[in-house]
Amino acid sequence: MGSGRRILSDFKVFSRGYLRNKFGLFFGLIFPVILILIFGAIFSGNSSSTIDIYTQNQDTGPFESPQLDIASQFLQALNSSSTIRVITVETSNFTNYLAEHSSSDGIIIPANFSANYLAASPINITVYGNPTSSTNGIIVGTVSAVSNLFNLQRFNGEAVIGFTQSTIGFENPQYVDLLIPGLIGFSILVSPMFSLVNISSEYKKNKLFKQLSLTPITKMEWLASKILWYIVLTLASFLLMVAVGVVVFGAHVNLTLGLLPFLIIGPTLFASLGMLVGTVTKNPETAGVIGNIVTFPMMFLAGTFFPISIMPDYLQNIAHVLPLFYIVEGLNNVMVYGNITGALIDIAIVSVITVIIFAAAVKLFKWRED
Amino acid sequence: MYSVVTEGLTKKFNSFTAVNHLSLEIGEGEVFGLLGPNGAGKTTTLRMLACLIAPTEGSAAVAGYDIQSDPLKVRQSVGILTENPSLYERLTALENMDFFAQAYGLLDPQERSRRIRALLEFFNLWDRRNDKVATFSKGMKQKLAIVRATVHKPPILFLDEPTAGLDPESAKEIRDLMAALSQQEKSTILLCTHHLEDAEKLCRRVMIMNRGTCIIVGSPDELREKISGQPVIQIGLKQVNAKVLAAVKANPQAKEVTVNPQEVALMVTVDDARSATPELVEEVVQAKGQVLSVNVLRPSLEEAYLKLIKEENKQ
Ligand SMILES: Nc1ncnc2c1ncn2[C@@H]1O[C@H](COP(=O)(O)OP(=O)(O)OP(=O)(O)O)[C@@H](O)[C@H]1O
Ligand SMILES: [Mg+2]
């Protein structure tokens, strides 16, 4: 139809201009890759912080006195190792629970743990984890050390407590694994925001919008062609970043179709937001300032450079109101954890925000003023 | 049928009236000039007719479509040259023209490139087609903007000061283009200009406006005559002497006779140059005056315009 054709010709003219502007190209494609290289190199060593581990305590006692509650003592001992921190959970399906909480590490303390320990019958603790990950090694090592300690204390070296390892299908993520979705989020945010804020206020100033309004092209068509362009740019940037992450840092990423909704809705959201900021501001200078106020907190607090779990609580709370957070979290859920339920929630939140921002942009965006 | 009709067209910006009950009619294929001092309301009138702004009062139809109820149809029928060229600076001249031509619905690539090429060649810009517009001079951008306004062969053209800022040669190119468009493509042209020469050479009728209202409308000849009346016959002589002067003054057709400062020409104001000129020349010759040249001078449109605006502003 005529509309599609007009979108296409506007798309062509816009992408040409964009590609000719070295600055935009640098920010859209090259800069995120540089960030991956820098941050990846800085943090590629193992972190020395405590590892959180979900634990299900199925022990059935006896619990008459704390001395007889051996399972609790065992978990306390694990905690005091300071390499791992036990988080006890109640659930009927432990492996599902782990997946839902984006973790591959877990421990199950079996029923009759205390009774068998006291009766010197063999005990089997289950340790879940991905054997190739570094955290798994730490957990296994810690559990076996504490088990040995307990065996020694009670039975003079006679092994009562043993454990089997159980493999879960994904690796506990390395920093670079989380960095790639984070920086894809970064580029989904930054390239449309910085250039569209600028372009829309610039076009307004030099009357290009007025000129376009004289042609049969409509506002919607113009906006659609911009969104289309940023989706294309995001896909290109995505492939580039994944390639660099995998080749340079051996990152592990799940490349599935589940990524596409994020790679399409994300640019739609921020292209609309960029237009909105450029539209509601009077001149390019204020547009730039407002654009930065909107962009910068998201750039750093939405889990782009660091997982938000390392941030203090109040910053985590702020992160939860930033739309980009849900895009980054969703990308993480799809690419790293395979947590589809989580990803669906994220995409639902992002979609709602996008619809609102897009509608506002279309409504407030004027081709021209009187 | 009229291409443009307005009735009581009025635009107020807050309490300021930029265009005040303007009524005009432009026939199909006519080149119509809109003259007037800065701030007279020319651009505002054009913007209303192009559906860029809504009138406060009154109505107008362009190509038979009402500007209020049928803006899309109006826009499809007109090509507009706005005050600013507003082009994609980072793209080349050809890319710009190709995009706008497509946007205006010129879909056939061959027809499009033929049309663009013809127009760019007309303005001697074909050699620069692959240069970025950012590197173009003001006048070159202006020409591109005119190419854009005409590329889709609109039946009606609104041109806001097309020759502003152009050198005399380029201004002539644009005049030639306007003449060609009006003659060959039968385009109707509404031309806002400060170059009275343009108006005089191109326009069948002009309107002079001031402070948002129409002062006078008519053909350039009519305006000249209405405003500053009678023609002057200039008789160039080897020397002016008393005998010649007396002979001319004696002729009943000579309303006023003056001698130019170098004393080599007589300036005779008459009612009707056609009947007075042969009589006067004959009398000069009989009085042994040696005639070198005879010219009938009419006040230029510019003189007429200046006189009119001066009178207007005195009121
Ligand atoms: N958007 C606007 N807001 C307020 N006043 C305006 C606006 N546009 C035009 N005017 C006023 O309307 C009057 C007519 O302006 P217009 O641009 O139509 O004049 P013009 O005849 O085109 O003048 P010029 O020869 O300088 O181009 C001016 O006094 C101008 O200040
Ligand atoms: Mg003007």
Side-chain angles (χ1 to χ4, degrees):
Chain A
M1 263 276 316
S3 182
R5 228 172 2 226
R6 285 193 294 271
I7 291 177
L8 196 69
S9 49
D10 188 68
F11 177 86
K12 273 195 292 196
V13 90
F14 184 74
S15 56
R16 264 209 197 111
Y18 192 94
L19 293 173
R20 226 162 260 176
N21 178 4
K22 308 276 181 304
F23 194 68
L25 210 55
F26 174 79
F27 262 101
L29 290 177
I30 313 296
F31 190 54
V33 169
I34 292 177
L35 289 179
I36 288 202
L37 291 173
I38 293 174
F39 282 92
I42 293 174
F43 295 102
S44 59
N46 284 324
S47 79
S48 56
S49 60
T50 19
I51 300 159
D52 285 342
I53 180 154
Y54 293 110
T55 305
Q56 191 180 26
N57 187 353
Q58 299 174 348
D59 187 19
T60 42
F63 301 127
E64 284 84 357
S65 75
Q67 284 77 20
L68 295 179
D69 184 357
I70 311 297
S72 299
Q73 290 174 37
F74 186 81
L75 294 179
Q76 256 169 29
L78 282 178
N79 264 342
S80 57
S81 73
S82 86
T83 54
I84 61 180
R85 190 171 67 202
V86 168
I87 299 167
T88 40
V89 298
E90 303 288 343
T91 173
S92 55
N93 189 336
F94 190 59
T95 45
N96 269 4
Y97 184 91
L98 290 184
E100 276 162 23
H101 289 76
S102 305
S103 171
S104 62
D105 295 310
I107 297 174
I108 292 185
I109 305 292
N112 301 324
F113 184 96
S114 301
N116 286 355
Y117 182 78
L118 296 170
S121 314
I123 296 164
N124 193 12
I125 296 173
T126 309
V127 178
Y128 289 96
N130 184 326
T132 59
S133 82
S134 56
T135 52
N136 187 244
I138 293 167
I139 292 161
V140 170
T142 310
V143 171
S144 82
V146 173
S147 306
N148 282 335
L149 183 72
F150 272 63
N151 287 335
L152 272 169
Q153 276 179 352
R154 185 69 176 85
F155 297 105
N156 300 320
E158 196 183 330
V160 177
I161 305 174
F163 63 88
T164 45
Q165 274 176 263
S166 191
T167 304
I168 277 190
F170 61 89
E171 194 176 345
N172 205 34
Q174 305 284 304
Y175 176 69
V176 67
D177 299 347
L178 299 172
L179 187 62
I180 290 173
L183 289 182
I184 289 166
F186 171 84
S187 117
I188 285 175
L189 165 77
V190 165
S191 31
M193 278 304 279
F194 281 161
S195 58
L196 269 189
V197 165
N198 205 347
I199 284 167
S200 56
S201 61
E202 205 66 52
Y203 278 25
K204 199 161 64 177
K205 192 174 152 196
N206 69 16
K207 310 250 163 68
L208 250 173
F209 280 145
K210 182 168 108 187
Q211 213 51 251
L212 290 169
S213 80
L214 294 169
T215 74
I217 293 180
T218 65
K219 288 194 303 185
M220 280 287 263
E221 288 163 358
W222 190 84
L223 203 55
S225 113
K226 302 297 114 31
I227 288 170
L228 201 61
W229 166 249
Y230 285 102
I231 290 172
V232 169
L233 195 68
T234 297
L235 291 174
S237 150
F238 169 80
L239 293 176
L240 198 62
M241 278 190 269
V242 168
V244 169
V246 171
V247 171
V248 179
F249 297 106
H252 303 82
V253 288
N254 271 339
L255 290 181
T256 69
L257 285 179
L259 289 168
L260 273 182
F262 291 98
L263 299 179
I264 288 170
I265 298 178
T268 307
L269 167 56
F270 292 112
S272 311
L273 188 58
M275 274 309 302
L276 188 60
V277 171
T279 292
V280 297
T281 46
K282 283 262 180 297
N283 55 51
E285 291 73 29
T286 8
V289 172
I290 305 283
N292 288 346
I293 290 175
V294 174
T295 312
F296 273 90
M298 263 193 274
M299 216 156 97
F300 293 104
L301 300 181
T304 43
F305 299 116
F306 311 100
I308 71 156
S309 56
I310 67 163
M311 302 193 303
D313 281 351
Y314 77 96
L315 282 184
Q316 293 198 25
N317 290 339
I318 294 177
H320 279 85
V321 302
L322 304 173
L324 183 62
F325 167 77
Y326 297 97
I327 292 176
V328 173
E329 192 186 60
L331 288 171
N332 271 317
N333 276 332
V334 178
M335 291 177 77
V336 184
Y337 301 115
N339 176 359
I340 301 307
T341 320
L344 284 176
I345 296 171
D346 292 325
I347 200 69
I349 295 172
V350 173
S351 301
V352 169
I353 299 173
T354 304
V355 167
I356 294 169
I357 301 281
F358 179 81
V362 171
K363 180 134 179 46
L364 297 176
F365 169 35
K366 288 203 186 72
W367 277 127
R368 52 180 179 254
E369 283 94 274
D370 265 11
Chain B
M1 196 187 112
Y2 290 115
S3 284
V4 178
V5 183
T6 77
E7 243 191 79
L9 198 64
T10 300
K11 180 71 193 181
K12 289 185 178 152
F13 294 108
N14 300 320
S15 60
F16 175 78
T17 309
V19 175
N20 195 354
H21 293 93
L22 197 69
S23 297
L24 60 84
E25 280 146 7
I26 303 175
E28 229 174 271
E30 188 179 359
V31 182
F32 189 93
L34 206 51
L35 310 182
N38 294 130
K42 304 181 293 294
T43 300
T44 307
T45 305
L46 218 77
R47 292 176 69 203
M48 282 190 281
L49 292 176
C51 310
L52 279 166
I53 51 174
T56 318
E57 231 181 274
S59 66
V62 173
Y65 301 109
D66 188 89
I67 56 165
Q68 308 244 44
S69 57
D70 243 346
L72 218 73
K73 284 274 184 3
V74 170
R75 224 168 275 153
Q76 279 167 359
S77 320
V78 297
I80 304 156
L81 176 74
T82 51
E83 283 177 307
N84 310 54
S86 304
L87 296 149
Y88 289 101
E89 300 270 323
R90 270 200 282 280
L91 301 184
T92 67
L94 195 58
E95 286 166 346
N96 263 286
M97 293 307 108
D98 197 54
F99 165 69
F100 280 107
Q102 274 185 62
Y104 276 116
L106 218 63
L107 298 174
D108 177 26
Q110 270 170 6
E111 192 199 335
R112 195 163 67 226
S113 64
R114 214 176 314 125
R115 177 78 175 164
I116 292 171
R117 177 166 186 160
L119 286 167
L120 288 181
E121 276 177 343
F122 182 90
F123 284 123
N124 296 315
L125 286 173
W126 182 246
D127 294 340
R128 301 285 308 264
R129 67 187 178 280
N130 291 323
D131 291 352
K132 286 192 193 137
V133 169
T135 67
F136 277 29
S137 74
K138 181 180 165 174
M140 290 158 76
K141 286 182 192 169
Q142 176 82 349
K143 290 181 191 173
L144 277 186
I146 293 171
V147 173
R148 171 177 58 197
T150 52
V151 73
H152 54 302
K153 299 195 182 179
I156 301 173
L157 277 170
F158 294 155
L159 306 176
D160 200 350
E161 303 191 28
T163 54
L166 296 186
D167 63 43
E169 200 193 339
S170 305
K172 183 175 179 319
E173 282 169 15
I174 287 174
R175 273 199 303 274
D176 291 348
L177 179 71
M178 288 189 280
L181 288 173
S182 120
Q183 275 151 31
Q184 287 157 26
E185 296 181 10
K186 303 286 173 245
S187 308
T188 306
I189 301 178
L190 173 54
L191 170 71
C192 293
T193 185
H194 290 295
H195 289 188
L196 294 142
E197 202 194 334
D198 290 357
E200 193 154 19
K201 285 188 179 149
L202 284 168
C203 299
R204 203 151 61 99
R205 286 190 307 147
V206 299
M207 171 190 275
I208 297 175
M209 41 188 312
N210 193 22
R211 298 195 210 114
T213 52
C214 166
I215 306 175
I216 191 166
V217 56
S219 74
D221 280 342
E222 279 168 11
L223 294 203
R224 270 194 309 240
E225 268 159 39
K226 259 190 208 160
I227 297 162
S228 42
Q230 302 138 319
V232 174
I233 301 168
Q234 179 193 47
I235 306 172
L237 296 164
K238 216 163 173 191
Q239 209 196 350
V240 177
N241 57 42
K243 199 178 162 200
V244 172
L245 191 62
V248 171
K249 280 186 171 165
N251 188 303
Q253 293 214 52
K255 293 270 172 298
E256 196 189 333
V257 184
T258 55
V259 183
N260 82 339
Q262 294 84 27
E263 301 213 329
V264 291
L266 290 173
M267 313 296 280
V268 190
T269 308
V270 296
D271 277 330
D272 179 6
R274 268 184 81 84
S275 70
T277 309
E279 271 185 33
L280 287 170
V281 171
E282 205 184 326
E283 265 153 26
V284 171
V285 170
Q286 280 176 1
K288 299 262 188 286
Q290 289 173 292
V291 177
L292 296 179
S293 67
V294 180
N295 286 312
V296 180
L297 303 181
R298 291 177 192 281
S300 69
L301 186 60
E302 180 162 337
E303 282 168 303
Y305 170 86
L306 290 174
K307 193 173 158 201
L308 186 70
I309 296 296
K310 209 162 139 190
E311 280 166 13
E312 270 288 312
N313 287 343
K314 261 190 237 152
Q315 292 169 12

